[in-house]
Amino acid sequence: MNSETINTLKENFSGAVILPDDTDYEQARASYAQKGSPAIVLRPKNAAGVATAVHYARNNSLIISIRSGGHSVAGHSTNNGGLVIDLSEINTIDVIDKAKNIVRIGSGATWKKVATSLQEHGLALSSGDSTSVGVGGLALGGGIGWMVRKYGLTIDRMVAAEIVTADGKILRVSAEEHPDLFWAIRGGGGNFGVVTHFEFTAIPVRQVYSGMIIYSLENLPALLTGWRDYMRVSTEDLTVMFLLMPAMMGNPPSAIAWCCYAGDDEAGAKKAIDPLLQIGTVVQNLVIKKNYCDVLEEPHPPQGVKIIVKNGFTEDLSDKLLAEIAAHYGKETSPVLQIRYIGGVLKSIPPGATAFAHRKSEALLVPAMFLPMDISDSDTEKALVPWKKIQPFLSGAYINFFSTATDEDVAAIYPKSTYDRLSKIKKTYDPGNIFNQNYNVKPAK
Ligand SMILES: Cc1cc2nc3c(=O)[nH]c(=O)nc-3n(C[C@H](O)[C@H](O)[C@H](O)COP(=O)(O)OP(=O)(O)OC[C@H]3O[C@@H](n4cnc5c(N)ncnc54)[C@H](O)[C@@H]3O)c2cc1C
């Protein structure tokens, strides 16, 4: 990469070209979890600009990081010495078919912007729990959101996408157009190209009942089994993330059922949520009716710490597993644990329908550890002990909740049959594996 190639690029590229000496560089090189030192950051304004960026990376042998919202905890959306394609300028949100509620969304939009914009049309999409997470990364991995049990994963509402492939071609993919690629991008992450726009069938939801129910920790095993038993018979309208928190920011350890009832009918919400008030001693009930866009919250992770996030699915939240969880989480210094209860409509979709294969699961367990930056390997191992106690009960993993990207992680994300199918599709659309800063699927031989 020399000044001549950069000048030529600037002549042919309509978006921002950010180099290490530029004032914007400090902000442009950082993502949610990492600060990289890329050689160049490009902010294309459309698919043609993305194609120019892809050609530029290829011609200059630069590794490519794709960034939509930049929330990859593993740090995939920045790099050292390569090119970052930052899609934040591709962020429009349009209702393109009012009769069918089809919306077209730029990958670089945040889910808060999506929720706020769709709210005006009385529409919503179940995405994730956080405002600043980007559309691209979440939607290519699956999307486990606040209405997942009623309306499925974010990818289950996807009807088409626009993608720039490794050869710089701009393709529209859907059930009819490049159906293999359409299958792959619904769960296969950023392996197959740069997605610039998605089309989804939005849901006619304006308001929901949502908030936390905070319990006393006096009998955690009974609380956990009571919650699990109720979730097994509850309506799909109700999605609950159960949180076990250590002492944090002046608060004692706590157990929280964070609920979302996917509708605004008071009687239905009361019927669905009231049983959760009977499973333990409630310290605070913060569930209220609110606009769906206000359900999403801005994350405030502790600063200057090393974040370790793991995850695993279970098809059976058994008594033994819950006892193990109660023994190791919800303590003064234990890690945070999210137990995301899924099931619901997910179970009615065949596991092979998309590249997200773990549809038979009852729950996803996600521990998060916030450790000192300079922590030793042996202390990191100690912090992982609670997780290692419950890991034998789990199988499979979700691409979007990892701070690492090891071969073991990739094998957990994709069962062999899914991986083999993805690998063949990768060979067709990215035979040189230029999109490799991700949970990488290698092109079939
Ligand atoms: C605070 C927080 C809360 C979260 N909550 C949830 C949640 O409730 N539910 C849930 O399912 N997930 C959740 N996640 C996980 C989130 O879905 C992933 O971190 C996701 O990758 C973030 O998307 P992004 O666009 O912001 O990330 P980025 O860092 O921009 O992208 C991550 C990776 O995805 C790929 N990618 C991104 N955009 C594109 C694109 N346009 N084309 C091709 N590849 C692309 C690339 O490989 C990229 O490296 C959360 C993460 C955080 C940090």
Side-chain angles (χ1 to χ4, degrees):
M1 209 176 90
N2 56 38
S3 56
E4 201 179 320
T5 64
I6 289 171
N7 288 338
T8 315
L9 171 71
K10 283 182 174 169
E11 279 162 25
N12 295 307
F13 184 76
S14 61
V17 176
I18 303 166
L19 298 165
D21 288 339
D22 292 333
T23 44
D24 281 357
Y25 182 77
E26 197 52 27
Q27 183 251 332
R29 75 193 181 107
S31 64
Y32 177 80
Q34 310 270 335
K35 212 171 230 196
S37 306
I40 182 165
V41 178
L42 296 179
R43 288 205 182 116
K45 294 189 167 172
N46 49 35
V50 171
T52 304
V54 169
H55 284 305
Y56 185 78
R58 292 187 71 138
N59 293 341
N60 291 281
S61 305
L62 297 170
I63 57 165
I64 301 173
S65 290
I66 309 169
R67 180 188 303 161
S68 286
H71 274 55
S72 154
V73 184
H76 281 141
S77 42
T78 189
N79 62 48
N80 294 320
L83 167 74
V84 173
I85 302 179
D86 177 342
L87 299 162
S88 54
E89 295 282 319
I90 302 179
N91 60 20
T92 49
I93 298 159
D94 296 298
V95 179
I96 57 169
D97 185 334
K98 281 194 180 150
K100 293 184 179 157
N101 293 338
I102 309 284
V103 297
R104 186 169 194 264
I105 300 178
S107 315
T110 62
W111 284 108
K112 175 70 178 178
K113 185 175 172 194
V114 173
T116 310
S117 170
L118 294 187
Q119 181 89 26
E120 290 166 21
H121 302 275
L123 297 172
L125 278 169
S126 182
S127 54
D129 51 31
S130 294
T131 50
S132 52
V133 168
V135 167
L138 182 135
L140 292 168
I144 300 178
W146 277 124
M147 298 186 284
V148 61
R149 301 187 68 233
K150 172 86 170 172
Y151 296 110
L153 301 166
T154 310
I155 53 171
D156 297 334
R157 316 291 302 181
M158 198 192 295
V159 292
E162 177 184 73
I163 181 168
V164 180
T165 49
D167 52 8
K169 283 203 182 107
I170 302 168
L171 303 180
R172 182 183 155 86
V173 299
S174 67
E176 289 80 35
E177 303 142 291
H178 306 282
D180 53 346
L181 190 50
F182 184 53
W183 177 85
I185 63 163
R186 286 175 294 158
N191 272 291
F192 303 93
V194 185
V195 175
T196 45
H197 289 91
F198 296 93
E199 288 172 29
F200 298 99
T201 308
I203 312 154
V205 165
R206 197 183 285 271
Q207 289 198 303
V208 297
Y209 281 81
S210 170
M212 297 186 195
I213 301 172
I214 306 173
Y215 302 93
S216 128
L217 273 171
E218 65 209 4
N219 190 347
L220 183 55
L223 179 62
L224 283 169
T225 51
W227 170 68
R228 183 265 331 261
D229 290 347
Y230 175 59
M231 291 311 296
R232 284 183 174 168
V233 296
S234 72
T235 166
E236 290 171 0
D237 292 300
L238 181 68
T239 294
V240 180
M241 169 172 29
F242 203 93
L243 272 173
L244 288 170
M245 303 292 293
M248 233 176 164
M249 294 183 270
N251 297 315
S254 57
I256 298 167
W258 200 337
C259 319
C260 181
Y261 175 83
D264 61 1
D265 76 296
E266 190 177 352
K270 189 168 159 42
K271 193 170 169 216
I273 294 169
D274 271 3
L276 290 173
L277 304 175
Q278 312 304 322
I279 58 172
T281 307
V282 175
V283 178
Q284 232 180 335
N285 174 7
L286 301 170
V287 178
I288 54 165
K289 185 158 136 178
K290 52 178 88 161
N291 288 339
Y292 174 74
C293 65
D294 295 328
V295 173
L296 275 56
E297 293 197 354
E298 184 55 26
H300 296 287
Q303 295 302 298
V305 294
K306 183 172 173 182
I307 305 176
I308 298 186
V309 181
K310 305 266 180 195
N311 78 85
F313 289 101
T314 177
E315 288 188 13
D316 179 16
L317 267 179
S318 65
D319 288 349
K320 271 191 174 173
L321 169 54
L322 292 178
E324 208 63 55
I325 291 172
H328 298 285
Y329 290 92
K331 315 288 174 221
E332 275 299 309
T333 57
S334 56
V336 173
L337 182 69
Q338 295 180 352
I339 312 173
R340 291 181 179 238
Y341 202 90
I342 42 180
V345 79
L346 246 64
K347 288 199 171 172
S348 64
I349 300 171
T354 64
F356 177 100
H358 306 286
R359 293 183 182 270
K360 298 273 173 250
S361 306
E362 182 173 19
L364 174 68
L365 277 67
V366 189
M369 285 143 271
F370 304 101
L371 306 172
M373 275 297 186
D374 56 354
I375 190 166
S376 66
D377 289 349
S378 63
D379 283 345
T380 305
E381 280 306 305
K382 270 190 218 151
L384 284 168
V385 167
W387 174 242
K388 296 226 162 118
K389 296 281 182 193
I390 59 173
Q391 221 181 355
F393 294 89
L394 310 178
S395 72
Y398 177 43
I399 185 172
N400 277 347
F401 286 137
F402 269 124
S403 53
T404 50
T406 63
D407 289 348
E408 202 187 322
D409 297 336
V410 174
I413 294 163
Y414 302 115
K416 187 171 179 320
S417 58
T418 308
Y419 186 91
D420 289 348
R421 192 169 164 187
L422 286 171
S423 177
K424 284 188 191 135
I425 298 167
K426 178 85 170 172
K427 188 182 174 189
T428 306
Y429 294 98
D430 182 17
N433 198 12
I434 67 162
F435 300 115
N436 57 30
Q437 301 296 296
N438 46 38
Y439 294 90
N440 196 225
V441 172
K442 308 270 185 302
K445 296 224 165 74

